[in-house]
Amino acid sequence: MTDDTAGEFDPATALDLSDRVAVVTGGTRGIGRAIALGLANAGADVVPTSRTAADVDDAVAAVESRGVDSLACPTDVTDTDDVTALMATVRAELGGPDVVVNNAGVNPDGALGPPEATTEDAEEFVLDVNLRGALRCARAAAESLHASDGGSLINVASVGGVVGLPRQHPYVASKHGLVGATRSMALDWAPEVRVNAVAPGYVLTDLTADIEGNERLVESIRDRTPLGRFADPAEVAGPVVFLASDAASYVTGACLAVDGGWTAR
Ligand SMILES: NC(=O)c1ccc[n+]([C@@H]2O[C@H](COP(=O)([O-])OP(=O)(O)OC[C@H]3O[C@@H](n4cnc5c(N)ncnc54)[C@H](OP(=O)(O)O)[C@@H]3O)[C@@H](O)[C@H]2O)c1
């Protein structure tokens, strides 16, 4: 007789993160905050961090209100000492981290426009936060991720990591780099640590505040998106919780589109 329960999928246990500790960079606002709260709701202890101490305190309080542990450790992902101290503090205070979500990202005005109009400083800044910041965090957390039974690194890329977008080549370069690094790190760190990316489409946050004021652009994005709308930040959190969890135990090196069908065209 076949034992149906031997390999049976049980969402209640597979999505339960109550034995994990997670770090979310840029976890104080927008998509990162939604990810931090989603991971906390799945039972993980979560450390949401960013450069702004007051925002970190606020996000930590929101995480703790979900009944899990957290700690406030403001961190600039462009500063190697900061990142090293973050991972060491998490390890000493909470254990882990078992899960690291590289979500901090920027796309400043100086990096917008055709290539001849952007500055080298702006390009450097975008690459340093979006790409090198993620690599710094991966390096600093490598030992803890490998020591975990459920080590999972998740990079928040973008549709701009999969296709070109006009007038923002530094951002697109940083996100293509992040998707490439995701694939390479997945090879290097298998089988101990799974490494994946999500590629969100358009989500209304501080990062995209300029879009909100431009009704024509809002309409064209809606028209171009098969699901016909922008995403709520929580709709990015769900796929990240999945990738962090045992429900994704055979998923590594993937870049999961969370874009309402944008890149399916
Ligand atoms: N919104 C979208 O439509 C969209 C689409 C695709 C992908 N994404 C990606 O999703 C991620 C989150 O975007 P979002 O829209 O939620 O942006 P957001 O609302 O502007 O939030 C960005 C977060 O990153 C933090 N941050 C920025 N620079 C940092 C640094 N050097 N070190 C540490 N933290 C830093 C910010 O806090 P502080 O400024 O206080 O440090 C904030 O917590 C980004 O990687 C973005 O590229 C967004």
Side-chain angles (χ1 to χ4, degrees), residues 26 28 31 50-52 75-77 103 157 171 175 200-201 203 205:
T28 55
I31 293 171
S50 79
R51 295 167 298 182
T52 311
T75 304
D76 183 340
V77 298
N103 166 82
Y171 182 82
K175 295 299 187 178
V203 190
T205 65

Side-chain angles (χ1 to χ4, degrees), residues 25-32 49-52 55 75-78 103-106 129-130 156-159 171 175 200-208:
T25 69
T28 55
R29 300 201 308 259
I31 293 171
T49 185
S50 79
R51 295 167 298 182
T52 311
D55 289 356
T75 304
D76 183 340
V77 298
T78 67
N103 166 82
V106 293
V129 177
N130 297 6
V156 178
S158 162
V159 289
Y171 182 82
K175 295 299 187 178
Y202 286 89
V203 190
L204 288 176
T205 65
D206 292 351
L207 190 75
T208 49

Side-chain angles (χ1 to χ4, degrees), residues 102 131 134-135 138 153-163 172-191 193-199 243 251-257 263:
N102 283 317
L131 178 56
L135 302 184
L153 180 73
I154 298 149
N155 295 317
V156 178
S158 162
V159 289
V162 184
V163 297
V172 167
S174 74
K175 295 299 187 178
H176 271 70
L178 192 54
V179 172
T182 299
R183 297 191 177 115
S184 271
M185 288 194 282
L187 303 180
D188 291 332
W189 284 3
V193 181
R194 294 182 300 101
V195 184
N196 292 289
V198 291
L243 289 171
V251 182
T252 197
C255 178
L256 178 55
T263 50

